[in-house]
């Protein structure tokens, strides 16, 4: 449905490198709708919850340190198949394996500095949205362009 939601977060490197605008632009231009956005430094405990599935990995401590190294731009984007399509806009986890034209393929080199997070499934999107946002922070509105994007 056109109300599917995904959690997209511009990581500390993306924020510091001035990539908030370019990354938002890609989602906007595709036709997706921004329904929540904030700049946050949520702390290690929160970041460990966000990446709980990776807790056993050797890169986990470095990942948490990186994610805790500056503000993160947390967002919720809405639209038809936005979870899957958001991952396509992001590119592969390892930027060197990402095609040009994708966010990671255009803006990143190392896997540990891959500038942007996107939920990998509808279920994890719901979990991540609940972890990062209060219901009151999510805005409900009809985008003016809706009928020009969807048939
Ligand atoms: P993704 O961010 O594409 O969903 P993931 O969920 O498997 O990838 O991993 C989360 C983040 O952890 C990823 O964006 C960067 C880091 N990471 C993953 N694999 C890594 C590795 N082999 N070495 C270093 N960092 C890694
Ligand atoms: Mg992931």
């Amino acid at each position: 449905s056109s109300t599917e939601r995904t959690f997209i977060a511009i990581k500390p490197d993306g924020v510091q490198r001035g990539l908030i605008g370019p990354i938002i632009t890609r989602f906007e231009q595709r036709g997706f709708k921004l329904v929540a956005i904030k700049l946050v430094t949520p702390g290690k405990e929160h970041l460990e919850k966000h990446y709980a599935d990776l807790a056993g990995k050797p890169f986990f401590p470095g990942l948490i340190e990186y994610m805790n190294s500056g503000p993160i731009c947390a967002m919720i984007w809405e639209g038809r198949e936005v979870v899957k399509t958001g991952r396509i806009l992001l590119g592969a986890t390892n930027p060197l394996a990402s095609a040009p034209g994708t966010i990671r393929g255009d803006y990143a080199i190392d896997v540990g500095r891959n500038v942007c997070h996107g939920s990998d499934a509808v279920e994890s999107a719901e979990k991540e949205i609940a972890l990062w946002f209060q219901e009151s922070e999510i805005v409900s509105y009809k985008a003016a362009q809706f009928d020009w994007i969807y048939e």
Side-chain angles (χ1 to χ4, degrees), residues 1-100:
S1 88
S2 62
T3 60
E4 184 175 299
R5 286 173 174 176
T6 194
F7 174 66
I8 300 293
I10 304 170
K11 298 179 180 184
D13 51 338
V15 172
Q16 293 290 354
R17 292 177 56 199
L19 297 175
I20 292 176
I23 291 169
I24 286 178
T25 296
R26 288 167 185 242
F27 282 84
E28 278 186 332
Q29 291 186 334
R30 187 64 185 263
F32 292 124
K33 182 172 79 168
L34 184 63
V35 296
I37 182 168
K38 60 183 175 182
L39 208 57
V40 283
T41 49
K44 283 199 173 185
E45 203 177 309
H46 176 101
L47 295 165
E48 283 165 2
K49 270 189 209 161
H50 172 74
Y51 280 130
D53 292 352
L54 301 172
K57 303 281 185 188
F59 58 82
F60 187 72
L63 172 63
I64 298 303
E65 201 174 318
Y66 156 55
M67 291 296 289
N68 197 37
S69 64
I72 291 170
C73 182
M75 299 178 278
I76 304 171
W77 286 89
E78 191 177 282
R80 183 164 289 145
E81 299 206 26
V82 70
V83 173
K84 189 180 82 184
T85 310
R87 294 286 295 191
I88 294 167
L89 292 176
L90 246 61
T93 301
N94 183 347
L96 290 180
S98 300

Side-chain angles (χ1 to χ4, degrees), residues 80-140:
R80 183 164 289 145
E81 299 206 26
V82 70
V83 173
K84 189 180 82 184
T85 310
R87 294 286 295 191
I88 294 167
L89 292 176
L90 246 61
T93 301
N94 183 347
L96 290 180
S98 300
T102 64
I103 291 164
R104 288 164 173 172
D106 285 347
Y107 300 131
I109 295 174
D110 277 356
V111 67
R113 298 290 185 272
N114 62 5
V115 305
C116 195
H117 166 84
S119 308
D120 63 7
V122 172
E123 232 190 355
S124 45
E126 284 168 2
K127 268 200 216 165
E128 291 170 1
I129 286 167
L131 175 65
W132 287 80
F133 286 95
Q134 306 288 323
E135 199 55 49
S136 61
E137 295 175 303
I138 306 173
V139 175
S140 175

